[in-house]
Amino acid sequence: MSEYFLANQNPVIYTAIILLILFIFRNVLKRSANRIGNKGDLHVTRIRLMFKYINILVTIIAIFALALTWGYDTSQLAVIFSSVFAIIGVAMFAIWSMLSNITAGIILFFSFPYKIGSKIRIHDKEMPVEAVIEDIRAFHLHLRTMEGELITYPNNLILQKAVSLIEREYHPDEGKDAL
């Protein structure tokens, strides 16, 4: 074991430094997302979804940095990463709407002015919707109409349509006398 460490002393030290830096970077990003989520009074599931995205980003950076540290040539890494991204690109082209919904979900996390419990109106010519936001997911919103109908509305469409806020937090039993 000591022979291995002596033969690879620099890469082992660099690996420890890279992992420490990425650990700190990940924690800073998670704290920032948590702070933004708490400041915007966002639901905890939306904050956890951002944590998953942050973990994926840090993992990709870690793989690339550690491969460079352990002596992989940049041209080899370029071929590997371009091949992987080409395959992912072809796969994503086949499912581009899912990718656009995930991207829209990230945008909604940081800039959507409505929260779970808000009563909204979506101005759409073909299908105007007036409902309460029950949940905001990675791909879609769960909206509950006044008739009790559950609508799943794609995140990418909510960014393309005009949306009006009717009530900040809607409570269907408000104003009823207690029995």
Side-chain angles (χ1 to χ4, degrees), residues 2 5 12 26 43 63 71 86 94 110 113 119 127 141 152 166 173:
S2 64
F5 183 74
V12 170
R26 184 189 69 149
H43 198 268
I63 290 170
F110 289 108
K119 185 176 179 185
M127 187 184 147
L141 298 171
T152 56
I166 297 173
D173 56 334

Side-chain angles (χ1 to χ4, degrees), residues 77-88:
L77 287 177
V79 169
I80 291 170
F81 274 94
S82 64
S83 299
V84 168
F85 285 123
I87 292 169
I88 291 172

Side-chain angles (χ1 to χ4, degrees), residues 26-129:
R26 184 189 69 149
N27 285 340
V28 167
L29 287 177
K30 282 187 171 185
R31 279 193 202 129
S32 298
N34 199 24
R35 191 176 317 116
I36 290 169
N38 290 334
K39 185 178 179 182
D41 197 28
L42 301 176
H43 198 268
V44 69
T45 55
R46 290 182 65 195
I47 297 170
R48 287 185 188 148
L49 182 64
M50 290 310 302
F51 288 173
K52 287 180 185 178
Y53 295 151
I54 289 168
N55 286 336
I56 291 169
L57 172 69
V58 170
T59 301
I60 291 171
I61 292 171
I63 290 170
F64 186 73
L66 291 175
L68 286 175
T69 300
W70 284 92
Y72 285 95
D73 187 24
T74 54
S75 62
Q76 292 173 336
L77 287 177
V79 169
I80 291 170
F81 274 94
S82 64
S83 299
V84 168
F85 285 123
I87 292 169
I88 291 172
V90 169
M92 288 301 170
F93 180 74
I95 53 171
W96 68 269
S97 65
M98 289 178 63
L99 182 62
S100 69
N101 280 319
I102 290 172
T103 306
I106 294 170
I107 294 169
L108 289 176
F109 177 79
F110 289 108
S111 64
F112 196 52
Y114 315 115
K115 298 172 182 26
I116 294 173
S118 296
K119 185 176 179 185
I120 61 169
R121 178 178 298 122
I122 301 171
H123 304 278
D124 187 4
K125 285 187 217 176
E126 292 87 33
M127 187 184 147
V129 176

Side-chain angles (χ1 to χ4, degrees), residues 18-31:
I18 288 170
L19 292 177
L20 178 67
I21 290 171
L22 288 175
F23 178 76
I24 293 169
F25 179 64
R26 184 189 69 149
N27 285 340
V28 167
L29 287 177
K30 282 187 171 185
R31 279 193 202 129

